Amino acid sequence: MVDQKILDDVFENFVNSAQIFKDREVLRHDYIPEKLPHREEQIRLLGTIVAPVLKVSRCSNIFIYGNTGTGKTAVTKYVLSHLETKAKMYNVPVKFSYVNCRMTGSEYRVFAGLSQSVGISVPFTGLSVDEVFDRFRAGLDAAKTIFIVVLDEIDALIKNRGDKLLYELTRINETLNKSKVSIIGISNDLRLKEFLDPRVFSSLSEEELVFRPYDASELRNILLERSKLSFYEGVLSEAALNVCSALAAAEHGDARRALDLLRVAGEVAERQGARMILEEHVREAEKHIEHNRVVEALRNLTLHSKLVLLSVYSLNKSSVTTGEIYDIYNELCGELGIGLLTQRRLGTLINELDAMGILNAKVVSMGRYGRTKKIRLEISRTLIKDVFESDSRMGRLINYKPKSFQKHMH
DNA sequence: CGTCCACAGGAATGACGGGCGG
DNA sequence: CCGCCCGTCATTCCTGTGGACG
């Protein structure tokens, strides 16, 4: 009974004091606003490029570059959704397919997704890639339509699978009779062309669009627009707004990051029962986001990656080398009685941890004494300790003292 | 100025669990 | 149920290399 009362109070309190958010959804990054400040130029350009579709001809393939959070995806979706309504109005046969390559993960699943959107359902595994491609082509031709494919984060696909998929796609028009395909490729990486077959690249980038990062004042405008929709009036303080934009501007002008900061800052303020979002809430939010990111990453590591990390932790030096890690890793595997991976494999695991920002790895030459990676921890030791202590297998090893320190010292 | 360390990291290949069509 | 293919992880084999040492 008493408990019931407590909870009632909590909920009542929440409802009564939740004066912060008017609409939380507006700050999620999959939300596409009505207005995209500072992207008018790109919208206009992209619009002119795709406009021929309305006269039932194929539009040029387009390559869009820009860092994360510069509005590439938002602009593309915005323009295409307007194109779609126009096309309906004029009865133009056009279909769209949006595929995020990083989420989708493989050629097979990209083609499967494309097939879906022309109304062909494919089993989500089991067929050969060529088979799926053939079905897709057949289905597409039968649909008698202009087909616009958006391949978002295309660099993720190219880097680990090569450009076979793109090659097939760029050539597909030659074998289609009743349909036409245009490709919009979106990449976070400006150097993508280096990974591509020049023929593929040239046919893919009939048009190019570059998205520059936002600067602090632009980010400020974006946040301001968005905050009008998401927060009640007077909730967001000037200082908080400025700090959010400044922090995100420092980090490659990433609007997504700025919006995250703002949303979490709002949540922090809400939880504290504050009536306004202040600068301190933003600072808090920054820590919060980073902390969550790392903890989440640590928890989801595979056993061997955890062991690699634990090896670095156990060595407890300002920097260690691949060889040293491998020795300790070896001992740890012995402690657990499990098989160990090769050093080659370990090297890529280290690189993965580096990419996640958990370790920092740098190749250095020590001349006569070889060539290796210098590896440092990039996160706090206490954080590792906290997360691993609650891990069934790691907990026991967290205080492990390396046996074989100093094998060859210089 | 060549040598040679201690690895880096690419390429090819294999093992394996999941899942299909027939 | 079989044979085949998928994606993922891992191994094997390999060539490449910056620069202190001699």
Side-chain angles (χ1 to χ4, degrees), chain A residues 217-234:
Chain A
S217 81
E218 289 171 338
L219 284 170
R220 192 177 180 283
N221 285 334
I222 292 169
L223 292 182
L224 192 60
E225 285 293 316
R226 215 64 85 83
S227 66
K228 286 180 196 157
L229 301 170
S230 60
F231 299 125
Y232 288 104
E233 205 168 334

Side-chain angles (χ1 to χ4, degrees), chain A residues 363-379:
Chain A
V363 269
V364 292
S365 174
M366 304 178 303
R368 186 66 257 266
Y369 300 100
R371 205 161 172 270
T372 182
K373 281 200 190 83
K374 286 260 185 217
I375 298 142
R376 279 187 294 110
L377 272 182
E378 198 76 332
I379 57 177

Side-chain angles (χ1 to χ4, degrees), chain A residues 84-259:
Chain A
E84 189 172 16
T85 48
K86 276 284 180 204
K88 280 216 182 84
M89 204 186 289
Y90 294 118
N91 244 335
V92 178
V94 52
K95 281 183 193 293
F96 301 90
S97 181
Y98 173 85
V99 181
N100 183 310
C101 299
R102 196 166 49 82
M103 311 286 266
T104 309
S106 73
E107 282 173 51
Y108 183 96
R109 278 184 278 184
V110 170
F111 280 134
L114 295 181
S115 302
Q116 290 283 334
S117 51
V118 290
I120 306 277
S121 77
V122 266
F124 88 101
T125 180
L127 301 182
S128 82
V129 173
D130 294 341
E131 174 66 22
V132 178
F133 183 70
D134 285 344
R135 290 190 191 190
F136 163 64
R137 183 168 49 205
L140 178 57
D141 216 20
K144 295 179 192 164
T145 184
I146 295 177
F147 191 53
I148 299 186
V149 184
V150 181
L151 298 172
D152 203 349
E153 306 203 52
I154 201 169
D155 41 328
L157 195 64
I158 308 293
K159 277 178 194 161
N160 43 50
R161 320 270 162 175
D163 52 12
K164 191 183 160 229
L165 173 134
L166 280 179
Y167 181 71
E168 300 281 3
L169 262 185
T170 51
R171 286 177 22 125
I172 196 172
N173 280 324
E174 297 165 16
T175 57
L176 289 174
N177 300 317
K178 308 179 196 82
S179 293
K180 287 291 166 204
V181 176
S182 298
I183 306 165
I184 301 181
I186 303 181
S187 167
N188 295 322
D189 191 340
L190 261 162
R191 302 164 305 143
L192 185 68
K193 59 181 101 179
E194 293 166 24
F195 298 97
L196 282 175
D197 180 326
R199 301 202 310 279
V200 173
F201 179 75
S202 71
S203 98
L204 205 52
S205 59
E206 292 165 349
E207 301 280 351
E208 276 187 46
L209 227 55
V210 178
F211 282 56
R212 299 262 151 251
Y214 298 107
D215 66 29
S217 81
E218 289 171 338
L219 284 170
R220 192 177 180 283
N221 285 334
I222 292 169
L223 292 182
L224 192 60
E225 285 293 316
R226 215 64 85 83
S227 66
K228 286 180 196 157
L229 301 170
S230 60
F231 299 125
Y232 288 104
E233 205 168 334
V235 163
L236 180 63
S237 75
E238 190 74 12
L241 177 61
N242 289 337
V243 174
C244 266
S245 359
L247 285 176
E251 222 170 315
H252 342 286
D254 183 346
R256 188 176 304 175
R257 169 110 178 111
L259 290 164

